[in-house]
Amino acid sequence: MTYTALPAPRVRAYYETFLASQHPSITATAQASGVKYFTLAFLQAVTRGSCALDWNSSSTQPLSYYNADIASLRAAGAM
């Protein structure tokens, strides 16, 4: 995977993943707002000292939950 540095400071929205199923997708949010840079939050360890990760302490939401949305954003030139 190749990483690209973010450009000079611009709006970088914080996208609340805790209630993801109750919010518009990241792509829909980007299209409606014009924001191209997002921070996804609440990826955390399953238990203290664990290296296993999940979203919001929910093992029912797979780590790949946002893969398609992130791919859609990248295709549209967002990061």
Side-chain angles (χ1 to χ4, degrees):
M1 176 179 272
T2 303
Y3 295 94
T4 304
L6 293 174
R10 293 197 168 107
V11 173
R12 292 184 182 112
Y14 173 89
Y15 184 81
E16 174 61 74
T17 63
F18 187 67
L19 299 172
S21 62
Q22 298 174 25
H23 293 285
S25 70
I26 306 168
T27 302
T29 300
Q31 291 169 341
S33 68
V35 172
K36 295 173 67 173
Y37 304 96
F38 290 86
T39 298
L40 304 183
F42 300 124
L43 183 64
Q44 59 200 41
V46 176
T47 59
R48 178 180 250 187
S50 171
C51 291
L53 299 174
D54 64 19
W55 290 104
N56 314 315
S57 296
S58 172
S59 60
T60 61
Q61 185 172 331
L63 293 178
S64 62
Y65 187 86
Y66 293 102
N67 286 0
D69 219 7
I70 291 168
S72 174
L73 284 168
R74 286 181 175 160
M79 297 179 149

